[in-house]
Amino acid sequence: MTFEELVIQLKKLPLEELRKEYDGYFEFVVSGEHIQKLYPVLEKYFGVPFKPPGIEPDLKVENVAKDFGGVRKQQTLYHVQTNGLSHCAMIWPWNDGSRVTVKLARGAVQIHP
């Protein structure tokens, strides 16, 4: 599956809001009731989360997520590197638990030492 095919698959979900979409980036909001439909699509592309929810991020995770504003304990980060490009998906739950913001990015992301 390519990054573009991943975006097409995610667009089939019942999205509440499409925030941004351009080459190498896709951001949307999905309601909490549909979040379980999201994980199988992401795991088909990324495998298991690089940083699952409920786990404090370690230095390796922080270095990957730094260019995206970091990642917190309750957030999820998927990450793979292919052909010199980083591919990430970040799931940020809203404080009220009713929705999550999902951000996908692909690019020459610098991994900070």
Side-chain angles (χ1 to χ4, degrees), residues 39-52:
Y39 293 117
V41 177
L42 292 176
E43 289 180 11
K44 185 174 180 184
Y45 186 81
F46 290 100
V48 298
F50 189 67
K51 202 243 20 112

Side-chain angles (χ1 to χ4, degrees), residues 94-107:
W94 291 22
N95 288 336
D96 65 5
S98 65
R99 295 173 186 82
V100 296
T101 299
V102 181
K103 300 179 180 189
L104 280 86
R106 172 191 64 193

Side-chain angles (χ1 to χ4, degrees), residues 36-100:
Q36 294 308 318
K37 296 175 184 175
L38 175 68
Y39 293 117
V41 177
L42 292 176
E43 289 180 11
K44 185 174 180 184
Y45 186 81
F46 290 100
V48 298
F50 189 67
K51 202 243 20 112
I55 305 288
E56 288 289 344
D58 61 18
L59 185 58
K60 187 176 178 182
V61 170
E62 289 290 344
N63 288 338
V64 169
K66 187 173 185 175
D67 288 335
F68 302 107
V71 63
R72 296 183 180 165
K73 182 178 179 177
Q74 73 276 18
Q75 298 169 332
T76 304
L77 172 68
Y78 290 88
H79 176 259
V80 295
Q81 278 196 278
T82 307
N83 300 325
L85 294 177
S86 286
H87 301 244
C88 299
M90 296 150 280
I91 301 174
W92 295 4
W94 291 22
N95 288 336
D96 65 5
S98 65
R99 295 173 186 82
V100 296

